[in-house]
Amino acid sequence: MSQSSPSQTPQIKSRLSAILRATSGNFLEQFDFFLFGFYAPLIAKAFFPSDNETAALLNTFGVFWLGALMRPVGAIVLGAYIDRIGRRQGLIVTLGIMAVGTVIIAFCPSYATIGIAAPVIVLIGRLLQGFSAGVELGGVSVYLAEIATPGNRGFYTSFQSASQQVAIFVAAIVGYLLNESMPAETIASWGWRIPFFIGCLIIPFIFLLRRTLEETPAFLAMKKHPTASEVFASAIANWRIVILGMMIAILTTTTFYFVTVYTPTFGKTVLKLSTQDALLVTLLVAVTNFIWNPVGGALSDRIGRKPVLLTIATLSFLTAYPALHWLVAAPTFGKMLAVEMMFSFYFGVYSGTMLGCLVEIVPAHVRTTCFSLAFALAAALFGTFTPFVATWLIDKTGDKASPCYWLMFGATLGIIAALTVYRGGQAIKQREAVAA
């Protein structure tokens, strides 16, 4: 045992380092995504002025969603690039595009300064971020899966999602300190930009980490790397797997955006809790999300993906309605924390399992493209649409607990997809490679 330890220790350190470098870009992506949701009311006033507060908020979340619609485009275009050129180079390119979008939003003048150009510029920034984010999660997940040790693929890929929670934690800390140190009027005027500026300052450091990534052995071992046209053709041929993957991912995306991006707005504007309370809940959610993701991945490595996916999806469907109705009946910090902790558990365990599932059911030679497309569709059509849908449902129904129906819908699709993918106890077979 003592003889093997010296050789094992460098390998462990090397893998930990690779996980850190690969997931660093997720920090920037999620840091900005969370800030956009948390400061949505202030962004609405700065770029989408309106006499109707709900209309301005819907416009802001609408831009948030339009950016997400670029995810499938990015998944196909950048996914094909990564499957052809390599994981390392592709992840550097996606980071560069994401950085440009972040800088644009941080420095864009307000509507009062440049008029209609302001929301147009913000939209461009969001479109660039969405284009990049379309393949960021898939590219990182595939990279982690391809460097995973045998029998631990779920555990390794879970750190893609777990890493994003660090960004939410840091963003919540920054927001909390900002609210404690600056008057509300100052934050509303220009102070909300400070966290975005901090994101810009982080960019060079993340670039340094990404540049030191090594290519995965699995990609280097491929005898032939498909051309862009071959990747596109194969993605179309495997449309059924992509759709099922999307359905499995929907519960992850809807729950995640509900407990992170939408929670601060929900706590402040709907439940009428303080900004500090909403931030503290979000901060604690980020901590538990980080913990539950690797737990879910490791658990699915031991007992299988199907039982974990089905159990969590069923629990989410059964408890979303009573939990939210209990919360909105008499909102308190403690009740909001309890409900968010429940959803955090669902998200973390399910997400940690779902990532390993998607990597395994898509064809290896177009793994990044198909994985990214499945998740991008889930995020664009459902996940990042969550804040908009939640705001719209509450406004139209008058029921503050109505967002539960959106979460229940995601759970239903997850159950159907998991039963289809793992019918007979075995995952559906991957399709053969499609020749150009």
Side-chain angles (χ1 to χ4, degrees):
M1 177 68 70
S2 60
Q3 294 178 348
S4 62
S5 296
S7 62
Q8 290 176 353
T9 301
Q11 292 180 8
I12 293 174
K13 289 182 178 180
S14 177
R15 291 182 186 277
L16 290 175
S17 176
I19 291 174
L20 172 63
R21 286 175 287 167
T23 58
S24 60
N26 292 303
F27 181 95
L28 179 64
E29 175 194 346
Q30 209 54 55
F31 185 80
D32 184 75
F33 266 58
F34 171 79
L35 290 176
F36 200 94
F38 178 72
Y39 290 108
L42 302 182
I43 293 174
K45 293 178 181 178
F47 301 114
F48 306 95
S50 173
D51 295 332
N52 187 311
E53 181 180 350
T54 299
L57 197 58
L58 285 173
N59 283 335
T60 304
F61 283 136
V63 169
F64 184 82
W65 180 59
L66 285 173
L69 286 181
M70 285 297 289
R71 284 191 171 209
V73 180
I76 295 173
V77 176
L78 295 177
Y81 178 78
I82 292 177
D83 279 329
R84 180 171 58 89
I85 299 298
R87 318 308 188 202
R88 175 188 177 278
Q89 183 63 34
L91 290 176
I92 293 175
V93 171
T94 61
L95 179 60
I97 298 173
M98 190 187 307
V100 172
T102 299
V103 171
I104 287 175
I105 293 175
F107 289 92
C108 179
S110 66
Y111 184 92
T113 304
I114 60 174
I116 192 65
V120 172
I121 292 173
V122 170
L123 176 59
I124 291 172
R126 289 297 303 160
L127 292 177
L128 286 173
Q129 288 180 326
F131 182 73
S132 170
V135 80
E136 174 69 20
L137 184 144
V140 172
S141 297
V142 168
Y143 186 92
L144 294 177
E146 291 182 349
I147 67 170
T149 54
N152 293 301
R153 179 177 286 169
F155 179 70
Y156 270 71
T157 55
S158 70
F159 280 97
Q160 189 286 327
S161 181
S163 68
Q164 295 181 334
Q165 314 315 312
V166 179
I168 295 170
F169 180 85
V170 173
I173 287 289
V174 172
Y176 186 85
L177 294 175
L178 201 64
N179 279 279
E180 289 294 314
S181 60
M182 298 179 70
E185 297 78 13
T186 304
I187 295 175
S189 176
W190 58 269
W192 62 268
R193 293 181 184 268
I194 293 177
F196 287 92
F197 293 150
I198 293 174
C200 293
L201 294 176
I202 296 173
I203 291 173
F205 175 69
I206 298 178
F207 261 112
L208 289 175
L209 289 176
R210 275 275 169 97
R211 287 185 62 186
T212 59
L213 273 178
E214 296 179 0
E215 189 54 78
T216 67
F219 182 82
L220 294 174
M222 290 183 183
K223 296 181 179 179
K224 181 181 182 298
H225 299 142
T227 63
S229 61
E230 289 174 333
V231 172
F232 297 149
S234 185
I236 294 173
N238 287 280
W239 66 268
R240 182 169 174 267
I241 296 176
V242 171
I243 295 300
L244 287 171
M246 177 197 73
M247 292 172 64
I248 288 177
I250 285 172
L251 182 56
T252 290
T253 60
T254 53
T255 306
F256 175 74
Y257 281 97
F258 182 81
V259 300
T260 56
V261 174
Y262 182 65
T263 286
T265 300
F266 186 61
K268 290 183 296 182
T269 64
V270 178
L271 302 181
K272 305 302 180 182
L273 298 177
S274 69
T275 298
Q276 287 80 357
D277 283 348
L279 270 173
L280 184 57
V281 169
T282 308
L283 189 151
L284 294 173
V285 163
V287 174
T288 53
N289 283 353
F290 181 86
I291 295 171
W292 290 124
N293 262 279
V295 169
L299 182 63
S300 68
D301 283 332
R302 302 298 175 267
I303 68 174
R305 319 286 185 220
K306 179 182 178 180
V308 180
L309 293 174
L310 288 178
T311 299
I312 297 299
T314 302
L315 286 173
S316 182
F317 179 86
L318 294 176
T319 60
Y321 180 87
L324 284 180
H325 274 267
W326 173 70
L327 170 61
V328 302
T332 65
F333 170 79
K335 291 174 69 173
M336 184 179 183
L337 180 62
V339 171
E340 293 287 328
M341 288 295 103
M342 180 190 75
F343 284 122
S344 172
F345 170 75
Y346 294 161
F347 160 74
V349 175
Y350 188 92
S351 177
T353 303
M354 178 275 301
L355 293 170
C357 167
L358 288 191
V359 169
E360 291 167 349
I361 67 173
V362 297
H365 68 293
V366 287
R367 184 174 281 156
T368 305
T369 303
C370 288
F371 182 113
S372 298
L373 183 57
F375 192 89
L377 288 171
L381 301 180
F382 300 91
T384 50
F385 204 29
T386 296
F388 185 96
V389 171
T391 302
W392 183 84
L393 284 172
I394 293 172
D395 182 61
K396 294 300 180 182
T397 65
D399 181 3
K400 296 178 180 179
S402 57
C404 69
Y405 302 118
W406 186 243
L407 300 177
M408 293 169 68
F409 175 66
T412 301
L413 293 181
I415 292 172
I416 294 172
L419 290 174
T420 304
V421 168
Y422 294 100
R423 62 177 179 267
Q426 298 294 324
I428 58 176
K429 301 298 183 181
Q430 298 177 356
R431 291 177 180 265
E432 295 295 328
V434 177

